[in-house]
Amino acid sequence: MNNSMVSMDKHRSVGTRPERIDAKEKVTGSALFGTDIMMPGMLHGRILRSPHAHARIISINTANAESMSGVFAVVTANDLPEADDMKEKLGESTINYKFLRDNNLASDKVLYVGHAVAALAAETPDIAENALELIEVEYEILDPVLDVRESMSTELKILHEQLRTLGSTNDKSTNVAQHIHHVKGDPSLGFDEADVIIEREFITAPVHQSYLEPHAATATWGKDGNLTIYASTQGAFVTRRQVSQLLQYPMSKIKVIPTEVGGAFGGKNPTYVEVPASLLSYKTAKPVRVVMSREEVILGTGPGSGTSIKVKMGAKKSGKITAAQAELCYEAGAYPGSPVDPGSMAIFAAYDIPNGQIDGYDVLVNKPRVAAYRAPGAPQAAFACEQVIDELASSIAMDGIEFRMMNAASEGTERINGKLHKSIAIKEILGIIDDHPHYNEPIQGPYQGRGVAIGFWDNWGARSSVDINVNSDGTVNLISGSVDLTGSRTTVAMQAADVLEIPLEKVKSSMVDTDSISYADTSAGSRTTMATGKAAVEAAYDVIGKLKLEIASLWNVSIDSIRYANGVFSSNKGKDTNMTFQELAGKLSGQVTGHGNVNVEDWAGAGGGTIVDVEVDPDTGQIKILKCTVIQNAGKAIHPGQVEGQMQGGVVQGIGWALYEGYEYDKNGKVLNANLLDYKLPTALDVPNIDAVIIEKPFPSNPYGARGVGETPIISPAPAIANAVQKALGVRLHRLPMTPSRILEEIGITSE
Amino acid sequence: MSSKLVVNSNINGQDVEFLIEPQQSLLEILRDAFGLTGTKEGCNDGNCGACSVLFDNRLVNACLVLGVEIEGRKVVTVEGLANINELHPVQEAFVVEDGLQCGYCTPGFIVSTKALLDQNPDPSDDEIRFWLAGNLCRCTGYDKIVKAVRHAARLMNEAR
Ligand code: FES
Ligand code: FES
C-alpha cells in the first residue's frame, strides 16, 4: 500500500472551504431522501409491532387484513427463508443473520415493545394503517427483563434459551452473550501501591441516534427477477448483503440505490424496512415503500446502549496512576451485539495505565437491539472514567489537566488490551486546553462551574472504491461506492482534484448504486473522508499514469520522460512538448478510467476534549450550558468547515445525552417517551455557540494525513458537564441523563 | 371510503384545485398530491419543524394543519422561495456558511428563517435561537445555522 503523502504544495482544494456539492439541492428542497421516493403504482407498506416486551407468538391470523379492500399483501416471518446462523462484521458492529431475520420479522418470540411481527402493503397509507388492526396475533406473555444487572443474574427471564456466554465455559442458558476480559500488569499490586483509590458506579440510559429522517426503503421486484431497492442507508453494499442473506437471493440480482440520507450516526447500518418492502413487492408485483413513523423509529430501531459501569482507579500522591479497573455491563437489547468491545477499548485509552483490568459484558434485555451510535460504547465509558479521573485529581489536590497530562498515553503506550497506541496527540490536546482562554478566564457567578474531559476513539479504515472517468472536455466524473452522509462527496472530490491538479469545479462527484462500482464498506467509523479519500487519490494517480502512457505514445517518447505539474504534461525529450490536462483529454478516446480500490487496514484514532461552563439553578435543578469549546485532532482538516460542523454537531449530541435524552420504561417494558416531545433533543435555544479548535497531527494512512472526525466529539461532553456540575454544586452525578429531578435529588441528599 | 372535498388554494404562487379526504394533513397533500417533497416529515406531531411552511405568511407546521384549512389561503413551501436560476438569500446563506449537514432539517430551517427575517430584519443571536427552537437539527449543533441566519439577514438588508 502506498502511504506516501501528497506533497503539501500541491494542495489547492484540500484545506479550503468550497461550497458543498450537494448543498444547493438540499437548500432548495430538491434533494431526494429515502422518504421522498415515489414510483408509479407504488403501494404503501406498514409494519405491525408487538405491544409486549417479552412474549411467545402462538399464532398470527392475517386473513381479515388480507381481505380488506385496498390491501394487497401481508407478510410474516413465515415468508422468509431460514437464515444462516452466521456472524459477519458490518460496519463497526457484528450481525448474526439468524438474529437479524428475527429482528426484521419476529418468528417464535417478540423480545421488545415495537418488535416487528408482520408487514402489509396497501393502496394508501391510511388503509395500510387501518388494516394493521385486522391482523390477529395471539401471544403468551412472558416476564420481561429490563435492568442490565438483573439480566446478568437471572435464570428465569431468559430471552434466548440456546444462548451461551462467549468467552465462558458455563453451559447454562443465560442473557450474557459475551464476556470480554483484558488484564495488563498486576492490578492488585497496582492498587496496593496507590495512596488514594476511587471506586464508583455509573448508569446511563439507552439513547437514540434520532436522525431526523425515519428509516425508509422502496423496493421493486421486477418480473425479470431483479430486485431494486432505494434505501436511506449508510452503506448500499452492506444493505445488499443483508437483504441477500435474509432472502437467500443472489447479490447480483439485488441493486441497492442509496438515497440522500437524513442523518444516521451509526443507526442506518442494520436493515429494518428493506426486507419487508422487498417481500411485499415480490408478493404484489408492485413497488412498495415502507417509511417508519417517529414512534416506530424510537421503538423499533437503534438505540445506543444503556449501561452500568463500575470504575476503580488508584494513584500516588505524586499524581501517577498505579492501577485501573472497570466492569462494563452494556445492554445489547433483544439480540447480542452491544458495543461493549469498543467501550472496553475506549475506557482507559487516553491514559498510560501500568496495571489494569477490564471486564466487559454484552447483556440481553427486552429492549430494541442496539445499533452503532457515534463512537459506539465510548461516551458511556468516558462518562465513568473521566469523572473518576477528576475525583482522583482533586483528592490529591492536583489540577485536573496536570493530572491527566502526567498520565496521558502517547505513541507506543501499551493499552490494557495489549495493543500499542499509534500517534494519538492526547498531550497536545491537554496542552491546548490548558492554554485556551476559555479554560483560563474566571467563572462569572454562583452556581457556575467549569469542567473538562477528554476522549479517544479508534476509528475505522476498511474498503472503499472510487472510479474516475476522464471526459474529452477535461472534466472528470468521480463515482464512489461510499454513501455520502454529510459531505463526503465533496471532501473526496477535493482530494482527487488536488492529485489531478484540476479545479474542484471540474470534478463531478457522485455516489452510485451497487451495480455500478466495486464493493465499498459502509460509511461508518469516521472512515469515509479518510479511506474513500485514499481510494480517490489512488484513482487519480491511476488516471495520471494512464494519461502519461497516452501522451508518451502521442509524442513518441519514453514514459519516464513525462512530467505532470500544475496541470501540464511535459517531456524533457524534444521541444514544444507540453500539453494541459484539458488539451490531452480532448485528444483521447474518452475511455480513460482510473480505479481506486483500497482496504485501509492501518488507521489511527483521534483524540479530543471538551471545556464546558454550566450554571445550575438550585431551585429547579435546570442546567444551562453557558459556554463550550471542543478540541480535536483531525489529522488534516480536508474541509475545515465540515470538520467544525462534525465537532459542533457531535458536542451537541453529547449535551443531549448529558442533560435530556434517554428511554424511559414502565415495569412492563413499555416505552413512556416514544415521541419527540417527551424524548427531548437539544434545540438551538438549549446550547450556546460551540467554539471548535482543530489540531492537525497527520496520519499517513490517508495521503493528506486526514483522520476520522465524526465520532470523537460526542465522547467527552457528558463527563465534562458532570465535572462542571460538580464544581458548580459540589455534587457528582453518576447517572445519565442529568435531569433537573436528579439534580434536585442530589442536592437533597447532600444537604442531609 | 370517506367522501372527498374540493379545495381551492394558492400554493407557491399557483392557483390550485384539488380533491382531499377530510383527515389528510397539509403535509400529506404537499408531499403526496403535489410532489412538493422539500417539506419533510420528521415526527408528524408538531415537534421537529421539518415540515415548516408559510400559511398566509405565518409560519406553521404543515403536519398540524388539515389540508381543508388551506381553502382560499396561500401556502409557500421551500420550493416557492428560489427563482428558477437564483437562490433566495436565505438559501444562499445556508450554502455559504455550511449551515447544513444531512440537509433533512434544512428546508424547515430555511422557511422558518425567512419568516423570522420578514418580521425582524436584524435579529440578535438570542432572538435567532429563540425563534428556531421549534426546528430540530440533529447534525449541525446549530452553530453554523445561527451564522447562516445572520448572513442571510445581511444579504437581505443589503438588497433592500
Ligand atoms: S413533521 Fe411536522 S413538526 Fe415534525
Ligand atoms: S442537517 Fe441533519 S438534521 Fe439538520
Side-chain angles (χ1 to χ4, degrees), chain A residues 370-648:
Chain A
V370 301
Y373 182 1
R374 215 168 188 161
Q380 300 94 325
F383 179 66
C385 172
E386 284 295 291
Q387 287 208 71
V388 172
I389 288 277
D390 235 41
E391 238 190 299
L392 264 183
S394 64
S395 70
I396 57 168
M398 190 180 261
D399 172 71
I401 296 296
E402 190 186 344
F403 181 69
R404 286 177 174 87
M405 189 69 104
M406 189 176 268
N407 294 289
S410 52
E411 191 163 351
T413 298
E414 187 196 336
R415 301 168 68 172
I416 293 176
N417 64 6
K419 298 230 169 78
L420 300 184
H421 266 305
K422 298 166 192 167
S423 75
I424 71 167
I426 292 293
K427 288 184 176 162
E428 285 82 350
I429 286 158
L430 288 165
I432 285 173
I433 294 175
D434 208 22
D435 294 340
H436 199 279
H438 179 182
Y439 187 64
N440 292 292
E441 70 198 22
I443 292 285
Q444 300 295 329
Y447 301 113
Q448 294 190 0
R450 175 169 302 141
V452 296
I454 57 171
F456 175 80
W457 180 246
D458 280 281
N459 292 328
W460 196 35
R463 289 163 291 182
S464 284
S465 54
V466 168
D467 288 350
I468 297 175
N469 287 304
V470 181
N471 302 315
S472 58
D473 62 357
T475 62
V476 304
N477 287 77
L478 182 158
I479 60 173
S480 151
S482 297
V483 170
D484 176 2
L485 297 171
T486 56
S488 63
R489 256 167 298 195
T490 308
T491 55
V492 165
M494 289 164 76
Q495 297 177 63
D498 280 6
V499 170
L500 295 173
E501 306 197 27
I502 60 177
L504 182 61
E505 304 78 66
K506 299 220 168 187
V507 183
K508 180 180 173 200
S509 176
S510 321
M511 53 178 176
V512 294
D513 63 73
T514 52
D515 279 5
S516 304
I517 196 164
S518 57
Y519 182 88
D521 277 302
T522 188
S523 294
S526 308
R527 70 176 212 89
T528 312
T529 293
M530 188 269 281
T532 310
K534 185 179 169 69
V537 165
E538 297 214 344
Y541 280 129
D542 194 26
V543 165
I544 301 287
K546 286 173 175 163
L547 291 179
K548 282 183 175 171
L549 267 178
E550 296 275 350
I551 212 163
S553 79
L554 208 65
W555 289 343
N556 207 8
V557 296
S558 81
I559 186 161
D560 308 332
S561 72
I562 313 274
R563 294 275 159 279
Y564 183 59
N566 300 317
V568 179
F569 291 90
S570 60
S571 168
N572 52 13
K573 302 277 161 57
K575 47 186 171 54
D576 278 347
T577 45
N578 61 48
M579 196 179 273
T580 64
F581 184 95
Q582 187 170 340
E583 285 165 350
L584 176 59
K587 294 195 188 312
L588 297 177
S589 54
Q591 289 185 321
V592 171
T593 299
H595 299 288
N597 287 331
V598 301
N599 186 3
V600 179
E601 287 174 316
D602 176 32
W603 65 88
T610 307
I611 314 171
V612 68
D613 293 1
V614 304
E615 181 173 54
V616 190
D617 182 329
D619 296 324
T620 62
Q622 209 91 42
I623 299 173
K624 189 170 166 47
I625 308 289
L626 300 173
K627 187 166 179 165
C628 185
T629 303
V630 49
I631 301 100
Q632 193 172 322
N633 178 15
K636 169 72 191 171
I638 302 292
H639 187 305
Q642 297 300 319
V643 173
E644 290 159 7
Q646 288 294 322
M647 292 164 70
Q648 292 161 337

Side-chain angles (χ1 to χ4, degrees), chain A residues 154-470:
Chain A
T154 188
E155 293 186 356
L156 300 174
K157 304 174 181 177
I158 296 293
L159 276 72
H160 303 281
E161 296 295 336
Q162 75 285 8
L163 191 80
R164 299 293 178 272
T165 306
L166 193 68
S168 147
T169 51
N170 199 336
D171 192 33
K172 279 210 296 221
S173 293
T174 173
N175 287 335
V176 179
Q178 189 179 5
H179 175 198
I180 294 163
H181 181 69
H182 301 297
V183 187
K184 176 187 170 190
D186 185 338
S188 62
L189 201 69
F191 283 115
D192 287 346
E193 286 171 5
D195 295 318
V196 283
I197 294 175
I198 304 281
E199 184 171 9
R200 298 284 177 256
E201 183 171 352
F202 301 85
I203 293 174
T204 71
V207 171
H208 201 277
Q209 293 80 352
S210 297
Y211 24 80
L212 214 52
E213 183 201 24
H215 292 265
T218 306
T220 308
W221 204 309
K223 296 268 188 302
D224 52 7
N226 291 330
L227 170 60
T228 304
I229 306 172
Y230 287 86
S232 175
T233 172
Q234 288 174 241
F237 287 92
V238 296
T239 293
R240 183 181 70 169
R241 176 71 179 156
Q242 291 172 76
V243 172
S244 150
Q245 280 292 313
L246 293 201
L247 297 175
Q248 300 280 310
Y249 205 62
M251 288 201 264
S252 63
K253 289 183 181 288
I254 304 169
K255 172 157 103 177
V256 176
I257 306 175
T259 63
E260 298 296 333
V261 181
F265 316 113
K268 289 181 181 168
N269 288 308
T271 58
Y272 300 96
V273 289
E274 292 81 354
V275 167
S278 301
L279 280 178
L280 289 167
S281 178
Y282 180 76
K283 277 200 158 181
T284 60
K286 287 172 180 290
V288 176
R289 183 176 83 185
V290 182
V291 179
M292 284 193 194
S293 67
R294 177 57 49 183
E295 184 184 35
E296 287 182 279
V297 169
I298 294 176
L299 294 181
T301 74
S305 257
T307 66
S308 168
I309 301 174
K310 283 185 189 153
V311 171
K312 179 179 171 187
M313 297 180 93
K316 292 259 192 217
K317 281 209 185 80
S318 62
K320 197 74 199 120
I321 294 173
T322 58
Q325 190 173 351
E327 181 189 76
L328 304 98
C329 308
Y330 276 44
E331 293 178 5
Y335 302 97
S338 77
V340 69
D341 192 13
S344 300
M345 287 200 288
I347 189 158
F348 299 129
Y351 300 102
D352 183 1
I353 310 251
N355 305 292
Q357 179 173 336
I358 294 173
D359 289 279
Y361 298 92
D362 183 26
V363 186
L364 302 173
V365 289
N366 289 110
K367 298 180 183 176
R369 158 60 154 87
V370 301
Y373 182 1
R374 215 168 188 161
Q380 300 94 325
F383 179 66
C385 172
E386 284 295 291
Q387 287 208 71
V388 172
I389 288 277
D390 235 41
E391 238 190 299
L392 264 183
S394 64
S395 70
I396 57 168
M398 190 180 261
D399 172 71
I401 296 296
E402 190 186 344
F403 181 69
R404 286 177 174 87
M405 189 69 104
M406 189 176 268
N407 294 289
S410 52
E411 191 163 351
T413 298
E414 187 196 336
R415 301 168 68 172
I416 293 176
N417 64 6
K419 298 230 169 78
L420 300 184
H421 266 305
K422 298 166 192 167
S423 75
I424 71 167
I426 292 293
K427 288 184 176 162
E428 285 82 350
I429 286 158
L430 288 165
I432 285 173
I433 294 175
D434 208 22
D435 294 340
H436 199 279
H438 179 182
Y439 187 64
N440 292 292
E441 70 198 22
I443 292 285
Q444 300 295 329
Y447 301 113
Q448 294 190 0
R450 175 169 302 141
V452 296
I454 57 171
F456 175 80
W457 180 246
D458 280 281
N459 292 328
W460 196 35
R463 289 163 291 182
S464 284
S465 54
V466 168
D467 288 350
I468 297 175
N469 287 304
V470 181

Side-chain angles (χ1 to χ4, degrees), chain B residues 25-75:
Chain B
S25 71
L26 172 57
L27 179 59
E28 276 179 81
I29 294 300
L30 291 172
R31 290 178 55 83
D32 297 346
F34 289 96
L36 294 169
T37 53
T39 307
K40 303 297 181 197
E41 178 180 323
C43 68
N44 209 26
D45 56 12
N47 287 302
C48 77
C51 64
S52 300
V53 298
L54 299 177
F55 181 38
D56 277 354
N57 286 325
R58 208 160 43 86
L59 182 66
V60 295
N61 289 327
C63 68
L64 296 184
V65 175
L66 284 174
V68 290
E69 292 181 68
I70 70 169
E71 170 69 39
R73 318 282 284 273
K74 281 198 173 82
V75 174

Side-chain angles (χ1 to χ4, degrees), chain A residues 19-20 26-27 35-36 38 126 208-210 294 373 641-642 644-645 649 653 661 682 684 687 689-690, chain B residues 23 31 38 40 42 47 78 87 91 95 98 100-102 104 110 125 129 136 138-144:
Chain A
E19 176 185 317
R20 242 175 60 180
K26 287 181 172 168
V27 297
T35 50
D36 300 329
M38 272 186 244
D126 276 350
H208 201 277
Q209 293 80 352
S210 297
R294 177 57 49 183
Y373 182 1
Q642 297 300 319
E644 290 159 7
Q653 289 189 3
E661 296 180 43
V687 295
N689 294 335
I690 312 280
Chain B
Q23 80 284 3
R31 290 178 55 83
K40 303 297 181 197
N47 287 302
V78 69
L87 297 183
Q91 293 168 322
V95 172
D98 277 321
L100 69 151
Q101 281 179 28
C102 79
Y104 197 77
I110 282 173
D125 277 13
R129 287 182 178 276
L136 291 176
R138 190 54 158 172
C139 301
T140 62
Y142 303 106
D143 192 290
K144 291 185 189 299

